[in-house]
Structure formats: structure tokens, C-alpha cells
Amino acid sequence: YVFIFETPIIDYEFRSDCDVVKIGAEFQTFEYALGFPKESPYAELINSYILQYRETGVLDNFWSRWLAIQDSTSNCPGSVRGGRKLTLGMSSMAGIFFALAIALTFGLLILVM
């Protein structure tokens, strides 16, 4: 199966489940956002702290430390994960084509009846 999600979640799954394999690089990156009601007294305060932490490098430092922890805490015994190249071929996609063929056949039978 394919698991498409945010990078931190995939990194966690990659660390904790030895059957999960990353293929390729990130295909879309974006920033997180916090939403506040209009005229919220906390919006300006939190914005100023986030801006301050970003400008001083605190957020980058935190992210780098978190990634280092993620890289060093793999639960997979003796495996070097991510070092092998994997591609999706017809053999790995056969199940999808088989399910599609069954669904099309079933749909055609319903249409004809």
C-alpha cells in the first residue's frame, strides 16, 4: 500500500515500523499555520514568539535535534534503511490492476443486467 502523509508522520512510521520504506523525496513542502478567531488576544503574542524563535534559529535548532533523534532511534534490528533504491514496477502494482479489472467487470455486469 502507499502511505502519503506529512513528513514528520512518515518519519515516525519509518522509525517505528520496519515494513515501511520511503521511496523518493518529498514532492510538496509547506509551512504549518495556526488559526485564531478575529480579535484574539493571543494571536499577536504567539505570532511575535514564533517570529522571534524563527529569527534566532530556535525553531531550526529544534527541528535539527528532532531529526537527529529520529535518525538514531530506529527500532529495526541491524538494518540500514533508506540506502537501497526501490522502484514501483508492474509486479508491485499487479494487485491494483487486478482489483480494477474485477471492479470493471462487475460494473459491466450491472450495466448489462
Side-chain angles (χ1 to χ4, degrees):
Y1 66 92
V2 176
F3 187 58
I4 299 174
F5 217 85
E6 297 173 326
T7 301
I9 302 297
I10 289 183
D11 287 341
Y12 177 78
E13 288 295 325
F14 185 67
R15 179 182 61 100
S16 62
D17 187 353
C18 295
D19 293 329
V20 176
V21 177
K22 276 180 155 180
I23 299 175
E26 294 179 24
F27 59 91
Q28 181 181 12
T29 59
F30 55 89
E31 300 290 331
Y32 288 99
L34 300 173
F36 292 97
K38 287 185 177 182
E39 306 300 325
S40 172
Y42 302 110
E44 187 62 36
L45 176 68
I46 291 177
N47 282 339
S48 66
Y49 275 110
I50 290 174
L51 181 62
Q52 177 186 353
Y53 291 156
R54 190 166 217 181
E55 288 175 346
T56 59
V58 171
L59 289 179
D60 292 331
N61 185 25
F62 176 74
W63 187 254
S64 297
R65 283 189 6 223
W66 186 81
L67 287 177
I69 289 170
Q70 292 296 317
D71 290 341
S72 66
T73 57
S74 176
N75 295 328
C76 301
S79 64
V80 178
R81 301 182 55 182
R84 58 187 179 180
K85 296 281 185 187
L86 297 174
T87 58
L88 293 175
M90 287 302 291
S91 61
S92 61
M93 302 295 285
I96 294 172
F97 289 114
F98 184 68
L100 180 63
I102 290 174
L104 284 172
T105 303
F106 187 67
L108 286 174
L109 287 174
I110 291 176
L111 184 66
V112 170
M113 292 182 177

